[in-house]
Amino acid sequence: MYRRKIEVFLNKWKSMADRKPLVIKGCRQCGKTSSVKAFARLNYDNIIYMDFHEKKELCSLFTGSLDVDYLTMVISAAIPGALFVPYKTCIIFDEIQDCPQARASLKFFKQDGRYDVICTGSLLGVNGYKSREMQEQEEATSVPVGFEHIVDMYPMDFEEWLWANNIPDATFGFLRMSLEKEIPVPDAIHHRMRQLLLEYVIVGGMPEAIKTFLNTHDVNQMLTVQRNIVDEYKVDMVKYARSEDKSKIRECFESIPRQLSKDNKKFTYSVVRKGGRSKDYISSLQWIEDAGIVRRCYNLSITELPLGGNAIYDCFKIYMTDTGLFISMLDDGTQSDILNGNMGSYKGAVYENLMADILGKMGRKLYYFQKTDSLEIDFVIRYKGECVPVECKARTGNAKSLKTLLNHPEKYKVLHAVKCGDYNVGRTGSVLTIPFYMAFMLEEL
C-alpha cells in the first residue's frame, strides 16, 4: 500500500462533526478502493464492503425502501458477517455508478447519521452516455444533491511516485529550498531525481503499474499492466456509451497519439477521421474527458489573469491524464528510447504530456497560449499571484516565444516566465529555469 495524498483528505473528512457521505471519483485503477479500505481498517471497528461492479446482484437490495433500518436489515442478511454498530461502522459502496439507487440512499444515510458511508466511482462524470437500460434506471433515481461530499482522486502523481521510491522528506525540503533561493541542486541529488523522472514518464501513476515496475523492474510486465488498463477503458466505452457513440468515442481516444505528434498540437477532428467535424465528435470527446481519461488544455485569448476568463473554449489540446498510459499507447520500444534520451521528433509531445500530467494532478486547469505559428507557449499558469508562461524543453532551447512575451509586457502583461527542461535550477533575467522534476513544486499561490 503506497502513501497517497487522499489520506490527508480522508482524515480531515473523518474529523468533521457534520460529515456527509463521501463520494470519491476518478478514472479506473487509480487506487480509490485500496485507499478507502486502508483508511477504513484504521478508523472503524466494522466495515461493510459492497462492490456493485463485481457483484451486480447487490443492486437488488436497493430496489425497495431506502429507509436505513430496512437497508441494514437486508444488507446484513445478504452479506455474512456484516455488522452494523452505530458510530463505529463504515459502509463502502464501490463502483457506485453501477447502482444508482445506492447513491440515492446517501440522502437517508446522511439524515440518519449513525453510519459513515464512503463511495467510489469510476464513471460518475459521464452523463448522458450510459446504456439505455442504465439511463432508464437513473431517470427514476435522484442524485442526493446536498447530501454527499464529492472529491476527485487522480492516479499517483510525481510526488507520490517519489514517496514510493523512499525519497526522504529531507530531500523534498532541500529541493524546495533550492527552488526558493534559485540555487542549483547538488549533482548527486540532481542525477537521482532525473533518473526517477524518466522512470515516472514511462511508469506513470497507476498503482498496479508502479507495483509491478518496482517489484520486478521488468518494463514488459509493467507495459502489460498498462495496456490491460487501457483495454478496460475501451470496454467501458462499449458498456456505458450509447450504441451510436461507441465507435466515435474509441476513434477519439485512439487519435490522441496522432494529435500530439503534430507540430500544432491543437485537437483537430479531421485527425480522428478524415473529414471529421466538431458536431460529429464533440460529445464523444466529452465522454472520454468525463471518464477521467484525458484533460483539455485551452488556448488563451490573452496572457492575463483570470486564466479561465480568457480561455477560448473551442480551441484546445488534449493530453492523457496519466503519462504512463500515454506512453503505453505508443510503439513498443518507446520506453527504452525515453530512458536513453532517444525520442527524436516526438520528444516534445512526451514532455508536454508529462507537464500536463504533473499540473493536472495538482488540480490545476490547463491553459496554453498560441497567437501565431511562431508564437506558442506550452502552458500558462497562475504562480505567485501572476500570469506565468511555462515552456517545456526536452533539453535545451531558445524559447523564442518566451522572449517575445517578456520583451513586450505592455502587450502581453507578462513579467516572469518558467522554463522546464533537462537542466538544473538557474535564472536568466526574468526566466526561471528548473528541472522537470521540480514542476510539481510550482504551487498556485
Side-chain angles (χ1 to χ4, degrees), residues 202 219-220 222-223 227 327-344:
I202 67 169
V219 171
N220 290 320
M222 174 203 72
L223 185 57
R227 288 180 173 170
I327 300 302
S328 77
M329 295 173 66
L330 306 180
D331 297 341
D332 289 344
T334 301
Q335 291 78 9
S336 178
D337 291 339
I338 290 172
L339 292 174
N340 292 316
N342 302 320
M343 287 176 286

Side-chain angles (χ1 to χ4, degrees), residues 118-172:
I118 305 178
C119 313
T120 74
S122 299
L123 293 164
L124 289 173
V126 176
N127 294 313
Y129 306 107
K130 302 179 180 69
S131 66
R132 284 192 170 85
E133 179 183 352
M134 293 189 70
Q135 288 183 47
E136 291 172 0
Q137 184 181 7
E138 290 193 356
E139 284 176 0
T141 306
S142 59
V143 174
V145 178
F147 293 93
E148 60 182 16
H149 191 141
I150 302 175
V151 64
D152 290 306
M153 184 174 175
Y154 307 107
M156 291 172 69
D157 63 22
F158 182 62
E159 187 173 14
E160 291 171 318
W161 160 256
L162 295 178
W163 293 342
N165 280 273
N166 300 313
I167 298 301
D169 291 343
T171 300
F172 290 94

Side-chain angles (χ1 to χ4, degrees), residues 30-131:
C30 71
K32 301 182 297 297
T33 301
S34 57
S35 293
V36 169
K37 283 185 171 180
F39 170 78
R41 285 194 293 268
L42 288 173
N43 290 276
Y44 296 90
D45 294 339
N46 303 288
I47 303 171
I48 288 89
Y49 174 75
M50 306 178 72
D51 185 339
F52 298 115
H53 183 70
E54 292 295 327
K55 295 186 176 181
K56 296 178 175 55
E57 64 273 15
L58 292 175
C59 294
S60 64
L61 303 178
F62 296 83
T63 56
S65 170
L66 296 182
D67 174 76
V68 171
D69 285 333
Y70 175 79
L71 289 175
T72 57
M73 178 183 68
V74 295
I75 292 172
S76 61
I79 302 178
L83 188 62
F84 289 87
V85 179
Y87 311 107
K88 294 184 178 181
T89 301
C90 180
I91 305 169
I92 301 174
F93 292 153
D94 206 357
E95 301 294 1
I96 198 171
Q97 76 278 349
D98 284 345
C99 186
Q101 280 295 116
R103 190 175 184 187
S105 75
L106 300 185
K107 173 181 177 180
F108 301 94
F109 277 107
K110 171 62 179 72
Q111 292 174 333
D112 181 87
R114 286 176 290 169
Y115 310 104
D116 284 350
V117 183
I118 305 178
C119 313
T120 74
S122 299
L123 293 164
L124 289 173
V126 176
N127 294 313
Y129 306 107
K130 302 179 180 69
S131 66

Side-chain angles (χ1 to χ4, degrees), residues 241-258:
R242 297 179 303 212
S243 298
E244 58 269 29
D245 290 331
K246 296 180 192 297
S247 62
K248 292 180 180 179
I249 291 172
R250 185 159 179 166
E251 284 177 328
C252 279
F253 176 60
E254 293 179 342
S255 80
I256 293 171
R258 300 195 304 276

